Amino acid sequence: MKHVPPAVRRAASADAGGVPAWDLPVWRQFPSRVVTLCLVELQKMRRDRTELVTRAVQPALWLLIFGVTFSRLRAIPTGNVPYLDFLAPGILAQSALFVSIFYGIQIIWERDAGVLTKLLVTPTPRSALVAGKAFAAGMRALAQALVVLVLAALLGVGLTSNPLKLLAVGVVLMLSAAFFSCLSMSIAGLVLTRDRLMGIGQAITMPLFFGSNALYPLALMPAWLQAVSLGNPLSYEVDALRGLLIGTPAHYGLDLAVLIAAVILGVTGASALLPRLAR
């Protein structure tokens, strides 16, 4: 058995049978590590609740100004669905994107503070470390989504009240936020500095948003933008959210498959790049 310092040994052990965590197979280590790291990340959110409010300002403005104005202009045809109803799920997806796309900054901060190096020398699999942080980003996205949903309801958007569909909305938001946070952590592993990550994050956020079906139906896009949208995970998130929240036709199986595959690829890529930050 490999040498592990006593303090780490005590902190990282064991299941109910007393077997040290590093001696357990990865498939048994992984879930508990993900949950533990996710809870640690959520403790940070409890200490800084103002972040949720400030991050909700931008999606609120999109609904209040863009949504209400274009609903009156009727410039974007959405069939029998009012434009504000059509837009609300897209803004919900946008809020999850904005929460998670800069999540890599936190990884760089942890590198600078020496926290990341300590985490990497524990028996915790790197994939579990990344997944824990990714799903913590999903929890942040859920907290902000509540603000957006309440505002949408106040504006008269015809949202579902079915608890199972609302639970499915939470799953979709968690998966999408997890993927985009993994994308951010992967970029952090490539660029290594906060300034570069901020610049790249700002450069790709709007293309991801406008290159999806969040603001307008796919049929209104030119052919090249339709191709871009079909390769954009945000489009599948919006399609699922729209079907669940306002009842439009959706491809739930495809949407879920794409989001799960994106998360797996995102966790794999970020896990491979994470050690670059600790060098």
Side-chain angles (χ1 to χ4, degrees), residues 18-38:
V19 180
W22 47 86
D23 285 342
L24 294 174
V26 172
W27 66 269
R28 290 187 63 183
Q29 291 184 39
F30 189 86
S32 63
R33 293 297 181 268
V34 170
V35 172
T36 300
L37 290 165
C38 186

Side-chain angles (χ1 to χ4, degrees), residues 6-25:
V8 175
R9 184 184 294 268
R10 288 191 299 269
S13 77
D15 64 356
V19 180
W22 47 86
D23 285 342
L24 294 174

Side-chain angles (χ1 to χ4, degrees), residues 167-214:
L167 181 62
V169 166
V171 171
V172 170
L173 288 173
M174 286 279 290
L175 288 172
S176 63
F179 166 69
F180 288 117
S181 64
C182 286
L183 176 62
S184 181
M185 287 186 275
S186 298
I187 295 171
L190 292 171
V191 301
L192 304 179
T193 66
R194 278 173 278 191
D195 291 341
R196 291 175 182 173
L197 177 58
M198 283 290 293
I200 293 175
Q202 291 171 349
I204 66 175
T205 299
M206 284 302 148
L208 282 169
F209 182 48
F210 288 111
S212 73
N213 56 354

Side-chain angles (χ1 to χ4, degrees), residues 98-193:
F98 285 4
V99 163
S100 52
I101 199 64
F102 296 108
Y103 208 72
I105 293 174
Q106 181 174 323
I107 291 287
I108 296 176
W109 178 88
E110 289 181 353
R111 185 274 312 273
D112 295 341
V115 175
L116 182 60
T117 302
K118 294 177 181 177
L119 288 172
L120 288 175
V121 299
T122 66
T124 302
R126 292 169 185 169
S127 56
L129 176 61
V130 170
K133 291 182 175 296
F135 284 104
M139 295 299 293
R140 287 174 180 261
L142 284 181
Q144 183 170 305
L146 289 175
V147 178
V148 178
L149 286 173
V150 169
L151 179 59
L154 291 174
L155 291 174
V157 174
L159 301 173
T160 183
S161 59
N162 186 317
L164 292 179
K165 288 187 176 181
L166 292 175
L167 181 62
V169 166
V171 171
V172 170
L173 288 173
M174 286 279 290
L175 288 172
S176 63
F179 166 69
F180 288 117
S181 64
C182 286
L183 176 62
S184 181
M185 287 186 275
S186 298
I187 295 171
L190 292 171
V191 301
L192 304 179
T193 66

